Amino acid sequence: MPLTSPGPLADSFRRAQVIRKGDYAYVIHPLLDGVPRCDPALLKDWVTWARLQAPTGAATLLLAPEAMGPPLAAALSLATGLPYAIARKRAYGLPGERAAPAPTGYGAATLHLNDVGPGDKVLVVDDVLSTGGTLSALFDAVRSSGASLAGAVVVVDKGTARPRLESSYRVPVAAAATITVGPAGVTVL
């Protein structure tokens, strides 16, 4: 369920700046980019929303991809009491480490999962859902580790991948806001 009332987070998207890098439109927002500086009210608004989502209640572990997932997961961890792990862009070579090649809307990266395995019910926490490349890669890596998926919560959905992800993986993917990016800027749907 998206945010339903005007609040700090919904209002902040309407004011967000957009820059283009090649064919990719970056929405410049504190929770998506770390700039401009983040008012704690934005993070609190997102955490209040995220902890009420069904996949959060089903999870035993939060998993956040670098770089903007960790601040979200840390705040959600404090609110829920759930532990969190970070899908790192650097391999550590630890026993059981899983590589997750993740094509994204602006490039590609390989994320590395550690300390995720049988008995874990994983909720992926991320900032943006665009092409679905990061979530698909992490969902596959979680399942190959022997863990199960609770789903995902993201700050914003700016693409069309959510229905495909939910159907393919049979898990909910919740977004606090769905936006479109056009010549006039950001529109919150």
Side-chain angles (χ1 to χ4, degrees):
M1 170 190 315
L3 294 168
T4 56
S5 63
L9 185 57
D11 290 342
S12 70
F13 285 116
R14 292 181 185 93
R15 295 187 309 272
Q17 181 181 357
V18 177
I19 62 170
R20 297 205 68 83
K21 295 286 186 177
D23 291 336
Y24 194 79
Y26 281 92
V27 177
I28 306 303
H29 186 276
L31 293 181
L32 311 183
D33 297 290
V35 293
R37 69 182 70 183
C38 188
D39 181 331
L42 294 178
L43 188 56
K44 184 176 181 181
D45 202 19
W46 183 81
V47 167
T48 298
W49 169 85
R51 69 185 303 228
L52 297 174
Q53 302 311 299
T56 305
T60 63
L61 176 67
L62 307 175
L63 176 64
E66 282 190 317
M68 293 310 297
L72 299 169
L76 189 56
S77 173
L78 288 171
T80 62
L82 294 171
Y84 71 94
I86 298 173
R88 302 295 311 259
K89 292 180 180 175
R90 174 183 303 228
Y92 289 109
L94 298 172
E97 183 172 82
R98 303 269 177 200
T104 66
Y106 53 86
T110 298
L111 299 167
H112 302 273
L113 278 68
N114 284 289
D115 199 21
V116 176
D120 292 325
K121 186 139 184 153
V122 178
L123 176 70
V124 177
V125 178
D126 204 2
D127 60 340
V128 178
L129 171 57
S130 185
T131 65
T134 301
L135 288 185
S136 290
L138 291 176
F139 286 178
D140 289 340
V142 164
R143 286 194 171 152
S144 74
S145 77
S148 61
L149 286 168
V153 291
V154 299
V155 175
V156 67
D157 179 353
K158 62 175 237 159
T160 59
R162 189 173 3 167
R164 176 184 51 79
L165 290 168
E166 290 178 326
S167 174
S168 296
Y169 292 95
R170 300 184 191 279
V171 295
V173 176
T178 301
I179 64 171
T180 60
V181 181
V186 175
T187 302
V188 179
L189 304 177

